[in-house]
Amino acid sequence: MDSPIGNLLLAADETSVREILFVNGREKARPDPSWQKNAEPLAETIRQLRAYFAGELTDFDLPLAPRGTQFQRTVWNQLCTIGYGETISYGDLARRIGNPKASRAVGLANGSNPIPIVIPCHRVIGSNGKLTGYGGGLPIKEKLLALEQKQLRLL
């Protein structure tokens, strides 16, 4: 998918979104050789992403099936509770999952999020208010946060 933050590689099974990858992110995304190119199952995902980039959508409503450990899935579920335009620290996120000493583990789980943007890992920042790592790169994280804070229009 072409997007205002660069090309995105979307993957889904018959029922759910599995991955959103940054083609030009920290790690160059490549399709798995077993994947079949078919945009039809992703039509609603693409529609919602375009509406998000246009500033018209604040909450995604998509079936998601991220693969990860139970801990990672707990962190990713909690990410989905961070409001549009809101940011929290890794320590805050660790407290929200009931494990206040796990901010480093939360950071690793956040960095392993297979469905960025929709599962909004970009809304987690350092405790000092500074932006920290992002799979698409810090300039992309900065753009997504600026979009959500109505400081930038991407479309």
Side-chain angles (χ1 to χ4, degrees):
M1 170 186 173
D2 290 330
S3 85
I5 59 169
N7 289 329
L8 301 173
L9 180 59
L10 312 177
D13 60 20
E14 299 79 28
T15 61
S16 305
V17 178
R18 291 286 190 166
E19 294 183 66
I20 297 176
L21 305 168
F22 296 100
V23 173
N24 295 313
R26 271 190 325 223
E27 298 173 22
K28 306 295 182 217
R30 305 261 185 271
D32 184 289
S34 67
W35 292 356
Q36 298 172 16
K37 187 174 182 174
N38 182 0
E40 188 176 320
L42 292 159
E44 182 59 16
T45 304
I46 292 167
R47 186 195 70 74
Q48 287 189 36
L49 283 167
R50 286 188 176 139
Y52 169 82
F53 291 130
E56 299 164 356
L57 181 83
T58 59
D59 291 304
F60 291 94
D61 184 20
L62 297 166
L64 306 177
R67 289 188 194 123
T69 66
Q70 183 59 48
F71 179 79
Q72 288 172 323
R73 289 192 309 272
T74 298
V75 170
W76 301 335
N77 286 336
Q78 195 59 228
L79 287 172
C80 293
T81 69
I82 304 168
Y84 182 88
E86 184 183 334
T87 59
I88 67 170
S89 71
Y90 293 97
D92 292 334
L93 186 54
R95 283 186 285 285
R96 285 188 182 189
I97 65 165
N99 197 343
K101 296 184 186 227
S103 58
R104 282 200 175 126
V106 161
L108 291 171
N110 198 55
S112 299
N113 174 15
I115 311 175
I117 306 166
V118 176
I119 298 177
C121 53
H122 61 278
R123 296 178 187 158
V124 183
I125 60 174
S127 59
N128 60 2
K130 299 213 185 262
L131 298 187
T132 56
Y134 189 64
L138 288 181
I140 301 281
K141 184 173 189 168
E142 189 172 32
K143 284 182 183 179
L144 294 173
L145 292 173
L147 167 72
E148 292 186 8
Q149 294 166 358
K150 307 288 187 217
Q151 298 170 349
L152 177 70
R153 286 198 41 110
L154 293 175
L155 290 180

